[in-house]
Amino acid sequence: MAVSPRPRSVESSRRLFERARKLIPGGVNSPVRAFKAVGGEPIFILRGRGAHLFDADGNDYIDYVGSWGPLILGHAHGRVVKAIAETAGSGVSFGAPTPIEIELASIVIEAFPSIAKVRMVNSGTEATMSALRLARAATGRDRTLKMEGCYHGHVDALLVKAGSGVLTLGIPGCPGVPVSVARDTLTAPYNDLDALRKVLDQHGAGIAAVILEPVAGNMGCVPPKEGYLAGARDLAKRHGVLLIFDEVMTGFRVAFGGAQERYGVAPDLTTLGKIIGGGLPVGAYGGREDLMARVAPEGDVYQAGTLSGNPLAMRAGIETLKAMKEPGAYERLETLSATLEAGLLEAARSKGVTATINRVGSMMTLFFTEGPVIDYASAARSDTRRYATFFQSMLERGVYLPPAQFEAFFVSMAHSESDVQTTIDAARESFASLRSA
Ligand code: PMP
């Protein structure tokens, strides 16, 4: 069915953006939201329901951003909203232990056999920052090894050759990161065991941790090559380096037990976020018993948080995870996502547009390149101007994709077959307009 561009007013969004820019840097509270990579101005959202977003001008969109991953059940899921409201009625924060924290911790630990104990924090950034500190304490080493194009939050030590907005906005090194810190971060290309081996052979004795996204999502979706994660596991061990899987995006996304379940490789430490908070601010880090025993107050590695283990976030996370644990949840996501992938590829092909799609479960990225896309260098070959045109064309047709090439689309449990079909139909027309552009 044809999905034509809709007459669309963006006046209210425009006015809001003008006002926001006077009050908030760039008008947004996180850079990629500003649409810089795709041109135009951001739309301001008033509400979401299921897989749909509604903006300040009364337009609605099928949403594939899902708040950048947390909303695996979709927007305003009844069970989550009800639980948050009920919890809020009993007080929103205590700064004292609550039973609800035990409940979420036990779900996480059961899902991730590599996690013996888990500490809740408030964002993915806090999780990776804390995991790194713990790794440095446990190994007595200062350096970090990360992969080019992976993003782990805006931690000083992890902004080197980072993905996501850093990659999108072409920020080479970030002013404000101390030179001494950046110097202690080494990098290797993703999916390249030889390169990893070389860095470890040369510098291994000074490296506390290798941190990586076990399925990269922040240079667009890039799956690990066969044997890559197991190889990294093995190399890290041989050098006495701790392996950290940053599963902030992939945890409970690519499988209930994250990428480590899907690929059968266990890290020493894991960072989580996004889905475990059901859309409320949350992060977590956990891992081996002996390592977690170093975390204060059990041990001497200090890490704390006024709002950590917040009851609303815990409850939203628990309800989200319980819903995802029901039989058939991941199968449904897989089927819908496979349909979307196949439909988009066929639509591109039918219009003579060169495209590659990488997909792992319900996260995927459409690159405008022949591919294969296996690392930062091959992701960077994608025609980002084409992505921008495609993005705008989809937006005009009522589909809200990530406003940057180097991000993942997320399919949620709330997307219907008809949402996916509408998206494919819109894409066919958008590809056609690309060719004539
Ligand atoms: N790690 C990964 C893999 C992420 O995708 C992100 C955020 N996109 C982060 C860490 C940082 O999380 P937050 O934005 O909650 O600080």
Side-chain angles (χ1 to χ4, degrees), residues 21-229:
R21 266 188 305 195
K22 295 192 179 121
L23 305 169
I24 302 168
V28 290
N29 279 311
S30 196
V32 182
R33 296 179 197 171
F35 278 31
K36 276 202 155 177
V38 289
E41 294 188 347
I43 54 169
F44 277 65
I45 307 301
L46 292 194
R47 68 193 179 86
R49 179 145 205 99
H52 294 254
L53 288 175
F54 301 85
D55 76 6
D57 292 280
N59 305 302
D60 64 290
Y61 306 89
I62 304 171
D63 177 26
Y64 289 96
V65 177
S67 189
W68 302 92
L71 299 181
I72 199 161
L73 298 180
H75 296 276
H77 188 273
R79 180 167 173 174
V80 177
V81 171
K82 183 163 172 273
I84 293 173
E86 275 170 15
T87 306
S90 304
V92 297
S93 181
F94 307 108
T98 58
I100 208 169
E101 295 157 80
I102 306 173
E103 201 178 337
L104 184 53
S106 73
I107 297 174
V108 168
I109 287 167
E110 198 187 318
F112 286 75
S114 75
I115 300 183
K117 278 188 182 160
V118 63
R119 168 59 62 80
M120 294 294 161
V121 292
N122 303 290
S123 67
T125 296
E126 254 189 82
T128 56
M129 177 187 79
S130 308
L132 278 190
R133 181 180 302 140
L134 177 56
R136 288 193 292 260
T139 57
R141 302 170 177 179
D142 279 348
R143 303 186 103 175
T144 304
L145 174 53
K146 75 177 284 291
M147 304 307 139
E148 291 166 19
C150 283
Y151 178 72
H152 305 289
H154 61 92
V155 181
D156 277 345
L158 295 172
L159 277 181
V160 180
K161 293 197 178 162
S164 192
V166 185
L167 178 53
T168 296
L169 302 176
I171 298 172
C174 182
V177 172
V179 173
S180 58
V181 173
R183 211 185 286 130
D184 272 343
T185 300
L186 307 174
T187 60
Y190 193 74
N191 264 333
D192 185 341
L193 279 179
D194 283 338
L196 185 59
R197 187 176 298 114
K198 270 190 203 132
V199 180
L200 286 170
D201 280 346
Q202 211 178 340
H203 303 285
I207 296 174
V210 172
I211 183 168
L212 54 84
E213 294 177 69
V215 174
N218 288 291
M219 48 185 139
C221 176
V222 178
K225 278 188 186 163
E226 170 113 38
Y228 176 63
L229 298 177

